[in-house]
Amino acid sequence: MFVDGQNLFRAARAAFDRTYPDYDVHALGRAICASNGWAPSEIRFYTGLPEPSDNVRWYRFWMAKLAAMGRQGVYVVSRPLRYRNQTVRLPDGTEHTVLVGEEKGIDVVDLRRTVDRDGPGDRPPGRIASWTIVTAGGVHDLAR
């Protein structure tokens, strides 16, 4: 199962009005597998991290959360956020430029590497037959 951390947070915020990423990725992965009759094989979690110099509170939070996930057996992939200037228009019509941290496609890159490694055809013995991706749009099963 591939979990995009930012999309999961946005989906939890929209569905449950959550403003804090207090979800349990390991439990979520196991529940999704169980509800579909699948045997869980691997859960991968992807997220961008703020630099400690940009936001030490969230950097520490995510380092601790990712370490806890790792101890649960979740394969964790993270990289620093990239910061870009973004211009926003306020309701009064004025524009302001703010620095925004963005995460860019680390989950898709790893999914592609996994597909390339395992091949698009018949699954080798011991390999998974499909991947599940959790996004803001829901749970998607990608059969091979």
Side-chain angles (χ1 to χ4, degrees), residues 4-110:
D4 179 319
Q6 297 300 315
N7 278 335
L8 176 59
F9 173 69
R10 288 184 189 108
R13 182 175 57 195
F16 305 110
D17 201 27
R18 304 304 299 175
T19 58
Y20 191 78
D22 57 356
Y23 43 74
D24 182 335
V25 173
H26 186 258
L28 175 64
R30 294 180 63 78
I32 289 170
C33 288
S35 69
N36 287 283
W38 304 329
S41 59
E42 185 175 67
I43 300 169
R44 291 175 167 251
F45 182 83
Y46 301 85
T47 193
L49 291 176
E51 294 287 344
S53 58
D54 292 320
N55 193 324
V56 71
R57 174 180 170 251
W58 283 112
Y59 173 80
R60 288 180 180 162
F61 169 85
W62 278 108
M63 291 302 291
K65 187 166 185 75
L66 297 177
M69 284 187 218
R71 287 190 297 274
Q72 291 177 315
V74 175
Y75 181 85
V76 174
V77 178
S78 66
R79 75 174 184 197
L81 293 172
R82 294 183 184 158
Y83 290 88
R84 296 187 163 104
N85 285 321
Q86 183 176 12
T87 301
V88 294
R89 183 180 303 271
L90 300 179
D92 67 2
T94 60
E95 291 185 351
H96 292 274
T97 301
V98 294
L99 197 59
V100 177
E102 296 178 343
E103 174 189 296
K104 287 297 188 187
I106 59 175
D107 51 344
V108 175
V109 169
D110 193 60

Side-chain angles (χ1 to χ4, degrees), residues 109-123:
V109 169
D110 193 60
L111 174 60
R112 178 63 197 198
R113 285 185 192 135
T114 302
V115 170
D116 287 346
R117 180 190 71 215
D118 294 345
D122 294 332
R123 69 183 175 118

